[in-house]
Amino acid sequence: MRNYSSIFSGVLLTLFSVSVLAAAVLPKEALPEKVQAEFNKRFPNAISVTAETKTHFGQELYLIAFKEAKETDARNIVYYRVNGHFYVNGDEIDTGKTSIEMPPACYVNLKAAFNDYDIKEAILVVNPNGLGEEYDLVINASGVLWHISLDRDGNITKKEAA
């Protein structure tokens, strides 16, 4: 019986540690070598690089945010597949609660999950292989920052405290 308890505890701790790491913002050096190599080829002047793991349209991706050395104010967002191939650009969109850039169902589902919230960042992810749009948000709800992913129907597909 003690072995089962130890194994179960170990599995739970492993799963918890993986979920905590998934919400973390990663430095450029933490990206897989293939992703780093392709990113460096395409954006050799990138500075202030950060990354996060995301899932969109059924694919595991890295969201990489950065600035170009020559453009100090503009922030760029790109998504790469885990094998290093470029996936799509991310577009920052209006963060207002009545924005027409996200379907009304997004706001309904956010209101159901978080009674009171403020959208700090919203990124549109357009499917490069066909129709559809998904969204990555950073919201503040009751003093806690959350990383949220929404599918094309406005359903919350990922919800992690930052």
Side-chain angles (χ1 to χ4, degrees):
M1 185 66 167
R2 186 186 298 186
N3 275 345
Y4 291 116
S5 297
S6 298
I7 292 171
F8 184 69
S9 297
V11 169
L12 281 178
L13 286 173
T14 302
L15 289 175
F16 177 71
S17 65
V18 169
S19 67
V20 168
L21 289 174
V25 174
L26 307 169
K28 179 181 174 183
E29 295 76 27
L31 290 168
E33 191 174 314
K34 288 180 180 181
V35 175
Q36 280 188 45
E38 289 300 315
F39 177 79
N40 289 336
K41 272 194 248 177
R42 190 172 181 137
F43 304 103
N45 298 322
I47 59 173
S48 303
V49 179
T50 60
E52 296 176 54
T53 57
K54 298 289 182 180
T55 302
H56 284 290
F57 308 104
Q59 296 191 45
E60 295 297 318
L61 304 169
Y62 287 100
L63 177 159
I64 304 174
F66 64 98
K67 294 181 179 182
E68 292 277 354
K70 62 183 181 270
E71 303 172 20
T72 56
D73 292 339
R75 187 173 90 134
N76 299 295
I77 300 166
V78 293
Y79 290 82
Y80 274 83
R81 292 182 175 103
V82 294
N83 66 4
H85 293 113
F86 175 79
Y87 187 67
V88 70
N89 288 315
D91 296 319
E92 288 188 287
I93 60 175
D94 184 20
T95 59
K97 286 187 182 178
T98 58
S99 170
I100 60 169
E101 296 191 60
M102 289 195 307
C106 292
Y107 300 105
V108 170
N109 291 330
L110 287 170
K111 182 70 173 168
F114 306 97
N115 188 30
D116 188 33
Y117 67 92
D118 183 37
I119 301 173
K120 297 295 183 188
E121 176 181 284
I123 301 169
L124 169 66
V125 183
V126 177
N127 188 348
N129 301 316
L131 296 176
E133 300 171 339
E134 294 185 347
Y135 306 89
D136 283 325
L137 308 177
V138 176
I139 68 167
N140 182 353
S142 302
V144 177
L145 282 178
W146 292 88
H147 290 262
I148 308 293
S149 292
L150 301 166
D151 67 13
R152 69 190 87 196
D153 298 321
N155 299 315
I156 297 173
T157 58
K158 188 174 182 181
K159 174 181 161 184
E160 297 177 330

